[in-house]
Amino acid sequence: MVTQPWTNVPCPGCGCVCDDVRLALADGELIAFDPPCELGAQWFRRHGERGAPAAQIAGQPASLGESLDRAAALLRAADYPLVYGLSRSTTAGQRAAVALAERLGGAIDTTASLCHGPSIMALQEVGEVTSTLGEVRNRADLVVFWGCHPAQSHPRHAERYSVFPRGRYVPRGREGRTVVMVGDATQVHQWRLDPAGARPDLVVPVPPGEDFEALSQLRTMLRGGSSANVPDELRRLLDLMQGCRYGVVFFGLGIAETSMWDGPPGRHAGHVNVAALLQLVAELNAVTRFTARRMRLQGDVSGADNVMCWQTGYPFAVDMSRGYPRYNPGEFTASELLASRQTDLCLLVGAETVPYFPAEAREHLQAIPTILLDYPGTQPALAPTVRFTTSVYGLHSAGTAYRMDNVPLTLRAMLPSQLPSDEWVLGELARRL
Ligand code: SF4
């Protein structure tokens, strides 16, 4: 049976959270998704899967009550539990996770620690001149993508917000904008603005690991200083930056990522790179209007930052063991707590980033009890002690998710489901402690 066609559906498939999607579902399966976006359609197809047991203990189906009791017993027995994930949840689930971590006196960290954590640290250090995507759409005549490949990670970003739309002060759309891509010299020439293969007006290749040097050259030249060996493309970029009416730089993990364990040299200082970029953007405001915006990957990772901040005062990497929140990336981040074997239980709300943990952390995760809350249609890269399959926000349950520019959007419930929400499971666990 085809359920009614749904219009203006917000899609949590990536940080764009496009809220103009039209889709149709038949017997719980996605049969139409428009405008076309394979990433978004896959998200709805994958999570619409039915028949998953609501709870499992050691891989075997179990009743919800029995699984809650078992998980609560594990939590009670733990000395220093870690709550991790949260970016595929929504505000209500994230708030329940923080409350549980506080009740347990453990640590809580989000997937930001594996992606834009360094950017958050940078903006805490030097501030951030930023804007909403609506402002970019209506005003930006120069759009720079630095260290990101939007065609792959955010397929409709260019179409909907940054490159093609006609805006109030950019009435000619694409023709009224100059678009630049800056990135790793070994890859940037292959990057595209959208899945149709749209190209930027200028490509600025940066040798791997030398973003900081390129940013320093731009800052020096902006102040009127001279810098040796400046590539022509970088000089051209500075001219465009100084000459635009409203510029924006979207930056991704290519500049922000820090790989503490096995990344190449130069990838250890993502927060330094991002701080230099944010300072450049702030300084450009002496000559024109310029803003910066992180390209957030997961659907509600921005919501996780927001909820963590208003509940604990800090965006990620928070310890509650002293009865008050303490913040220290590198000490209370999940990778470090697991790799150093300091935590003796891990509760994961979403396990999509487990493969990106260093080997020592993944090893320890298999050696301790784990409680996993995840959506149907996911194959976790760990074998949890207790698993709850929770209803999907934006498909089975309503909720609030934050777009990459921190604008909250209401997700809709379109399919009935017997699965519990993560807010309910986390609240029940807290109650049973
Ligand atoms: S760009 Fe992202 S949010 Fe928009 S439809 Fe595609 S996956 Fe969904």
Side-chain angles (χ1 to χ4, degrees):
M1 188 187 82
V2 180
T3 62
Q4 68 184 85
W6 297 86
T7 55
N8 295 329
V9 176
C11 167
C14 77
C16 287
V17 195
C18 303
D19 58 351
D20 61 344
V21 172
R22 295 178 296 280
L23 54 80
L25 303 154
D27 296 327
E29 279 183 28
L30 182 76
I31 55 165
F33 187 100
D34 188 62
C37 174
E38 196 41 40
L39 190 65
Q42 265 178 25
W43 188 93
F44 280 94
R45 240 179 256 132
R46 193 168 63 241
H47 297 317
E49 204 177 89
R50 290 181 304 166
Q56 289 170 287
I57 299 177
Q60 298 304 315
S63 75
L64 206 47
E66 198 186 342
S67 304
L68 285 165
D69 286 342
R70 179 72 197 281
L74 291 171
L75 289 170
R76 268 196 304 271
D79 281 333
Y80 188 46
L82 164 69
V83 177
Y84 172 75
L86 313 190
S87 62
R88 70 105 183 102
S89 188
T90 58
T91 300
Q94 289 154 349
R95 203 165 41 199
V98 176
L100 182 63
E102 190 173 6
R103 179 83 191 277
L104 290 165
I108 181 162
D109 187 30
T110 74
T111 59
S113 66
L114 287 180
C115 51
H116 270 292
S119 308
I120 297 171
M121 290 158 64
L123 71 92
Q124 286 173 327
E125 225 168 273
V126 302
E128 181 184 37
V129 185
T130 193
S131 59
T132 63
L133 294 175
E135 199 177 333
V136 169
R137 179 187 169 111
N138 282 306
R139 293 178 185 274
D141 60 340
L142 173 65
V143 180
V144 181
F145 292 97
W146 195 309
C148 53
H149 184 188
Q152 241 174 35
S153 56
H154 300 80
R156 296 188 59 218
H157 192 282
E159 164 205 326
R160 204 167 134 71
Y161 304 113
S162 53
V163 178
F164 297 106
R166 294 174 195 278
R168 188 162 180 186
Y169 300 104
V170 198
R172 293 186 301 135
R174 175 69 180 95
E175 284 173 33
R177 300 181 209 267
T178 305
V179 184
V180 183
M181 272 183 156
V182 188
D184 185 329
T186 62
Q187 303 169 11
V188 70
H189 289 287
Q190 279 87 53
W191 289 353
R192 298 290 181 264
L193 297 169
D194 67 4
R199 298 284 297 138
D201 301 299
L202 174 69
V203 174
V204 183
V206 175
E210 291 188 17
D211 295 276
F212 181 79
E213 287 75 2
L215 288 159
S216 299
Q217 287 178 322
L218 286 171
R219 290 182 67 198
T220 304
M221 291 189 293
L222 179 64
R223 286 180 193 168
S226 62
S227 187
N229 304 323
V230 181
D232 288 346
E233 295 93 337
L234 212 54
R235 288 188 193 280
R236 173 93 183 102
L237 173 60
L238 185 67
D239 287 345
L240 290 170
M241 285 173 153
Q242 289 177 297
C244 72
R245 202 180 55 238
Y246 183 114
V248 60
V249 53
F250 290 101
F251 61 97
L253 296 186
I255 181 172
E257 190 180 42
T258 51
S259 181
M260 303 279 220
W261 292 272
D262 45 19
R267 288 281 175 89
H268 295 249
H271 65 290
V272 178
N273 292 341
V274 177
L277 177 67
L278 296 178
Q279 283 170 307
L280 170 68
V281 167
E283 288 156 6
L284 280 164
N285 279 276
V287 290
T288 184
R289 171 89 174 115
F290 223 99
T291 65
R293 168 63 55 200
R294 283 164 281 159
M295 294 285 266
R296 306 306 298 269
L297 293 176
Q298 291 98 343
D300 197 26
V301 67
S302 299
D305 299 352
N306 279 282
V307 173
M308 286 284 286
C309 278
W310 84 56
Q311 297 273 293
T312 72
Y314 305 110
F316 66 105
V318 176
D319 164 82
M320 304 276 199
S321 63
R322 292 194 185 167
Y324 57 88
R326 291 186 299 153
Y327 167 62
N328 197 8
E331 183 180 4
F332 303 132
T333 26
S335 298
E336 283 80 1
L337 287 174
L338 288 164
S340 60
R341 299 172 192 270
Q342 290 184 64
T343 181
D344 57 348
L345 180 146
C346 187
L347 184 152
L348 299 106
V349 184
E352 69 279 6
T353 53
V354 167
Y356 304 104
F357 281 140
E360 299 92 322
R362 290 198 308 271
E363 219 171 85
H364 187 55
L365 204 50
Q366 288 300 355
I368 58 175
T370 45
I371 301 165
L372 171 65
L373 282 66
D374 219 339
Y375 284 162
T378 52
Q379 298 298 331
L382 79 164
T385 317
V386 183
R387 173 178 175 152
F388 297 96
T389 303
T390 52
S391 60
V392 179
Y393 289 113
L395 185 61
H396 304 133
S397 316
T400 301
Y402 283 69
R403 209 165 62 181
M404 65 165 74
D405 55 352
N406 291 324
V407 171
L409 294 161
T410 302
L411 304 183
R412 306 193 15 207
M414 294 174 287
L415 282 182
S417 171
Q418 301 298 319
L419 297 172
S421 68
D422 58 13
E423 178 196 14
W424 185 86
V425 172
L426 294 164
E428 271 302 300
L429 289 176
R431 203 175 62 76
R432 284 167 201 239
L433 292 175

